[in-house]
Amino acid sequence: MRSTMTTRFVVSFAGRSKWTSILGAVLSTATVFGSIGLGLGQTPQYIVAELTGDDATQVPSKLNNLRDIVGRKAGNGEGAPRATLWGHSRSSAKHLGVLADGDYSSATGINDAGEIVGVSNTGRAILPFIWTEKGGLRRLPLLPGDSCGQAVAINKYGHVVCYSSGPSGSRAFLWTRKTGLRSLGGLPGGNHSRAHDINDFDEVAGVSTGSEGEHAVLWTKSGGVRDLGTLPGDSSSEAMAINNAGDVVGYSKGPREMRAFVWTKGGGMEELGILPGGSSSRALDINDSGVVVGNSTSSSGDHAFVWQKQTGMLDLNETGSAALGILLVEAHAINGQGEILAMGRMTHGAMESQGQLCAPAPPLSFLLTPIASP
């Protein structure tokens, strides 16, 4: 049952001269643009800051608990996008470099120590990397026989999950400085696996093929692999994220299209729902408080959602953002403070309000920061 509490969305552009886009022309001051129910016993707010401005090459992907954000960005005459770190002050963007003979890189994960992982090309392959302030960007190894791969997530101890690919398909593995790499294996009867996330207890969420098809899996610290199954009536599933309680989120697929789920050790797999008028949904991240973000189709297209047990699934656009020309289509990362990275776009109505007729704009990225109620 939904709470009657409200969440107000406050748009802020203060101190962001380098990041200002057309939104700055639409909203010259902090503005409340919507309300939805969220949480029991409190009335949180979000400050919504646009991160990408008019530079479509900026693609934030993950954030840590210190509000450091990583992704990729081109610019400064450097050609292809490079893995990039935006510190919590947002005053500058730091390119992290590329591997030898490469011209492209992208960051996919960051921990609170500022260690970053991702992928970079070389003259012959796409390869995983780890970056630290002291050591810079360096290549991570691949499983024997493989020729390319990607690092996807890193925990607070600097343990990295990756997958590498070769003639036998893709295979998930764990890398640590102390032990090197270790294949995570897969479900019986399968020959393909991918890791997507790791928690601080070295539990890994991902997907593996097996005798019953492609299923979401949980790799345990002891080295086992657990089939998380599917929602009723579905034939496949994929796990996208895991928190420190071992709760896993992702989506299940079948005749009813994709359906977002959360899996817990005590309750198994639970469907999170779909926004009104929609037919599919995906859960993409979860924090240690059990708050889930993702995207769902709705009666008016793809919308970003936030879910928690007390409220169910809520549309992050509900009631107000469309009036100001903002549409959030996907929420793909959330940290321990409940700060959310989301993708969105300006709607045509906002362009018309400025007397302009423009071609469809590229996706924009937003940071949604909860603040205390007045």
Side-chain angles (χ1 to χ4, degrees):
M1 182 173 67
R2 291 195 178 195
S3 164
T4 58
M5 300 299 178
T6 61
T7 298
R8 288 185 294 162
F9 289 78
V10 181
V11 180
S12 172
F13 298 92
R16 294 192 305 111
S17 60
K18 289 186 64 177
W19 302 79
T20 301
S21 74
I22 190 170
L23 285 179
V26 178
L27 303 170
S28 58
T29 60
T31 307
V32 175
F33 71 88
S35 62
I36 60 173
L38 185 63
L40 296 174
Q42 57 179 335
T43 309
Q45 299 176 326
Y46 285 115
I47 294 176
V48 181
E50 187 189 341
L51 300 178
T52 44
D54 56 1
D55 184 354
T57 70
Q58 296 179 143
V59 184
S61 60
K62 288 291 183 180
L63 75 166
N64 63 15
N65 292 318
L66 306 177
R67 296 186 80 202
D68 300 319
I69 295 175
V70 293
R72 64 182 185 270
K73 179 185 184 298
N76 302 322
E78 296 186 48
R82 306 290 177 91
T84 302
L85 167 66
W86 293 272
H88 58 273
S89 68
R90 307 288 177 272
S91 60
S92 63
K94 180 175 184 176
H95 281 186
L96 306 183
V98 294
L99 294 174
D101 299 322
D103 63 358
Y104 166 85
S105 59
S106 180
T108 55
I110 180 172
N111 63 16
D112 289 349
E115 298 172 310
I116 298 167
V117 296
V119 62
S120 173
N121 69 348
T122 66
R124 294 175 292 181
I126 300 291
L127 298 171
F129 73 75
I130 184 170
W131 179 94
T132 63
E133 186 70 42
K134 183 177 180 180
L137 187 144
R138 65 187 183 94
R139 172 181 170 175
L140 291 177
L142 302 174
L143 290 171
D146 288 348
S147 57
C148 61
Q150 179 169 333
V152 294
I154 183 169
N155 69 13
K156 73 176 184 179
Y157 300 109
H159 300 173
V160 183
V161 284
C162 312
Y163 55 88
S164 62
S165 302
S168 300
S170 63
R171 298 180 290 167
F173 68 89
L174 173 69
W175 177 89
T176 73
R177 292 178 177 87
K178 184 177 180 179
T179 63
L181 63 80
R182 172 172 63 87
S183 175
L184 295 176
L187 295 173
N191 58 4
H192 165 83
S193 63
R194 290 190 310 275
H196 288 307
D197 199 15
I198 184 172
N199 66 16
D200 292 334
F201 301 96
D202 283 354
E203 296 176 309
V204 177
V207 62
S208 172
T209 57
S211 57
E212 297 183 6
E214 191 173 68
H215 282 192
V217 294
L218 170 64
W219 285 282
T220 65
K221 183 175 182 178
S222 63
V225 56
R226 181 169 185 173
D227 188 343
L228 303 187
T230 67
L231 291 171
D234 287 350
S235 57
S236 63
S237 59
E238 187 157 1
M240 301 301 296
I242 185 171
N243 66 12
N244 282 328
D247 303 329
V248 178
V249 296
Y251 51 92
S252 181
K253 297 178 283 185
R256 294 171 58 189
E257 299 188 46
M258 294 182 291
R259 293 181 287 164
F261 73 77
V262 60
W263 178 95
T264 63
K265 294 172 182 176
M269 187 176 288
E270 173 190 354
E271 182 177 355
L272 300 186
I274 296 170
L275 292 175
S279 60
S280 67
S281 59
R282 300 183 303 154
L284 300 176
D285 204 4
I286 182 172
N287 69 9
D288 287 345
S289 298
V291 182
V292 181
V293 295
N295 77 312
S296 171
T297 58
S298 69
S299 57
S300 57
D302 287 339
H303 283 202
F305 75 75
V306 61
W307 178 98
Q308 55 184 324
K309 199 168 185 64
Q310 301 96 323
T311 64
M313 183 180 290
L314 301 173
D315 189 340
L316 283 175
N317 296 284
E318 196 166 285
T319 75
S321 63
L324 294 176
I326 303 166
L327 178 65
L328 301 174
V329 300
E330 176 185 290
H332 54 271
I334 183 170
N335 67 9
Q337 282 69 52
E339 297 167 312
I340 297 169
L341 278 182
M343 291 178 60
R345 60 181 174 84
M346 299 295 296
T347 64
H348 189 60
M351 295 300 197
E352 289 179 333
S353 71
Q354 295 298 303
Q356 302 177 35
L357 292 177
C358 301
L364 304 173
S365 290
F366 299 87
L367 176 66
L368 281 64
T369 303
I371 58 175
S373 300

